[in-house]
Amino acid sequence: ASRVMVASRNYADFANEATFEIKKCDLHRLEEGPSTTVVMTREEGLHYYKTMQTIRRMELKADQLYKQKIIRGFCHLYDGQEACCVGLEAAIKPTDHVITAYRAHGFTYARGVPTREILAELTGRKGGCVKGKGGSMHMYTKNFYGGNGIVGAQVPLGAGIALACKYFDKNEVCLTLYGDGAANQGQIFETYNMAALWKLPCVFICENNRYGMGTSVERAAASTDYYKRGDFIPGLRVRTDTAFFCGGMGNTFLFKGPILMELQTYRYHGHSMSDPGISYRTREEIQEVRSKSDPITLLKDRMVNNNLASIEELKEIDVAVRKEIEEAAQFATTDPEPPLEELGNHIYFNEPPFEVRGPNQWIRYKSVC
């Protein structure tokens, strides 16, 4: 009881909101960018912190499960880049749309999928968010279109989603994400052209984590100003420690046509779990980023220094998150695998059942929509 009273008394002492000065965004073909003075409420800060910490712990658990050979196949982790998906999600509506590449676990969670369904999908179980059929690279939920494994191929799809928003006269946008490694793909520039011609409500977002697989941006691109790559499309470049506050500010300009954003970020793991991540960069480089630019630590320090939360309160969130992830992992390792006949299900939407041949050519299953 005394602990509750202390917590209640401390809660009353916290500020409801705080004002922050953030670095000015680099702009391209824009007369004005996001404000450098922003307000964050205590409630928003706690939500951002818990969401980022959950994604961080979920990815670290995925690392552990992969090394135990419980997760198989491809697995691309998002730890270090949490500010991107959390900041972007904070700036859009649930009815808006998101499509991204294969480093998708963070966006899947930010779009509302529980951690147990994400980890169960990674382990190929029935309780996964796509019933164990998608794995690491192919996760979906309402208004979230993956998780796409072909480098850069999701960008034209994102423009197609934006075209549908405009065609049906919906007040919605599509965030279309890709990495710096995909930024040199030809279909991306074709899509820029179409989006500009048709004035599509599309935010093209390059998550620049400085390495495309094992190649640094300096070795891969003649120009690393990815926010200028749209040429005739307005662009802005945002640091990840400010992504909370202006991650979705492209909405200001959207209905005049598309906009291009570059989010400067960093991944702590290698490109995938098969990449140790230290053959093309040093351990010292990774540690320096962790110590100076970690998005969770930066937010924590800002909240504590501005009396939005206490260290003890944030530690309690950490404990609760660890418990949630452990329970999710327990589910992901005990839930049954999907039965063989599931191979024939969900091939097409709203189609009459038809026969599907399984791995044994003499066995056929009836499809289920």
Side-chain angles (χ1 to χ4, degrees):
S2 61
R3 183 180 179 186
V4 173
M5 290 178 63
V6 170
S8 176
R9 186 172 66 249
N10 289 343
Y11 176 83
D13 294 338
F14 290 131
N16 290 324
E17 61 182 39
T19 302
F20 299 93
E21 292 294 323
I22 60 174
K23 293 184 179 180
K24 185 178 180 180
C25 295
D26 298 315
L27 304 179
H28 172 65
R29 288 184 176 265
L30 289 172
E31 294 182 2
E32 186 178 357
S35 173
T36 56
T37 302
V38 296
V39 176
M40 183 177 70
T41 67
R42 166 179 156 81
E43 182 181 3
E44 289 171 340
L46 291 173
H47 172 69
Y48 299 155
Y49 181 83
K50 182 179 180 182
T51 305
M52 285 203 300
Q53 194 68 277
T54 301
I55 294 170
R56 175 71 57 87
R57 290 295 162 191
M58 179 176 68
E59 296 295 66
L60 293 178
K61 177 58 67 173
D63 170 274
Q64 179 184 338
L65 293 174
Y66 191 95
K67 289 172 179 174
Q68 293 172 345
K69 300 189 186 302
I70 297 172
I71 294 175
R72 298 298 189 98
F74 295 101
C75 185
H76 304 80
L77 302 182
Y78 201 67
D79 50 320
Q81 300 185 209
E82 297 90 350
C84 298
C85 65
V86 174
L88 291 168
E89 186 64 36
I92 62 175
K93 307 185 298 290
T95 52
D96 289 323
H97 308 268
V98 179
I99 187 169
T100 188
Y102 39 74
R103 204 177 302 280
H105 310 159
F107 283 98
T108 308
Y109 179 74
R111 291 259 84 184
V113 178
T115 53
R116 59 188 272 143
E117 293 186 19
I118 296 172
L119 288 177
E121 189 57 42
L122 286 168
T123 58
R125 308 303 173 112
K126 280 180 64 176
C129 54
V130 288
K131 303 185 184 300
K133 297 180 180 181
S136 175
M137 293 198 292
H138 305 291
M139 296 184 179
Y140 310 93
T141 191
K142 187 175 178 60
N143 298 328
F144 178 62
Y145 308 85
N148 292 266
I150 305 301
V151 177
Q154 73 278 5
V155 178
L157 299 180
I161 296 166
L163 174 60
C165 295
K166 182 174 183 178
Y167 183 84
F168 291 110
D169 197 25
K170 294 182 177 181
N171 185 28
E172 298 169 359
V173 303
C174 181
L175 306 188
T176 301
L177 291 111
Y178 54 96
D180 54 274
N184 300 318
Q185 291 280 318
Q187 72 265 35
I188 292 180
F189 295 90
E190 296 174 40
T191 307
Y192 290 161
N193 185 59
M194 294 170 66
L197 281 172
W198 298 344
K199 295 182 170 53
L200 300 182
C202 188
V203 190
F204 297 104
I205 302 169
C206 176
E207 289 185 284
N208 178 7
N209 62 23
R210 294 170 48 179
Y211 297 94
M213 296 188 73
T215 305
S216 67
V217 293
E218 291 81 9
R219 292 180 58 213
S223 171
T224 58
D225 290 333
Y226 295 103
Y227 70 106
K228 296 180 180 179
R229 290 285 190 94
D231 188 13
F232 36 79
I233 296 177
L236 67 160
R237 178 160 58 193
V238 185
R239 289 175 53 90
T240 53
D241 59 336
T242 59
F244 293 104
F245 310 114
C246 56
M249 291 306 291
N251 288 330
T252 307
F253 316 98
L254 269 177
F255 294 103
K256 300 174 185 177
I259 192 165
L260 199 161
M261 298 178 64
E262 176 188 343
L263 302 184
Q264 292 186 318
T265 185
Y266 196 86
R267 55 172 164 81
Y268 294 154
H269 270 83
H271 171 72
S272 71
M273 285 300 298
S274 61
D275 168 23
I278 52 173
S279 59
Y280 49 87
R281 59 183 185 177
T282 63
R283 294 182 188 273
E284 289 73 23
E285 176 186 307
I286 301 169
Q287 186 55 43
E288 183 179 12
V289 175
R290 280 184 178 272
S291 63
K292 294 181 179 179
S293 304
D294 183 81
I296 298 177
T297 302
L298 288 171
L299 178 63
K300 178 180 179 179
D301 291 344
R302 282 176 171 167
M303 292 187 68
V304 172
N305 293 338
N306 287 273
N307 197 34
L308 291 176
S310 67
I311 292 177
E312 292 75 20
E313 183 179 22
L314 297 178
K315 283 183 178 178
E316 288 182 3
I317 292 176
D318 296 346
V319 171
V321 165
R322 286 174 184 266
K323 183 174 184 292
E324 176 189 340
I325 297 302
E326 287 302 323
E327 291 175 352
Q330 179 68 18
F331 174 76
T333 53
T334 57
D335 191 52
E337 296 180 353
L340 194 59
E341 55 267 24
E342 279 282 331
L343 285 172
N345 297 349
H346 308 104
I347 296 175
Y348 295 106
F349 173 71
N350 202 25
E351 290 284 338
F354 55 94
E355 289 189 339
V356 180
R357 190 173 68 196
N360 186 327
Q361 62 178 325
W362 293 281
I363 297 176
R364 294 177 182 272
Y365 300 107
K366 280 289 185 181
S367 67
V368 176
C369 297

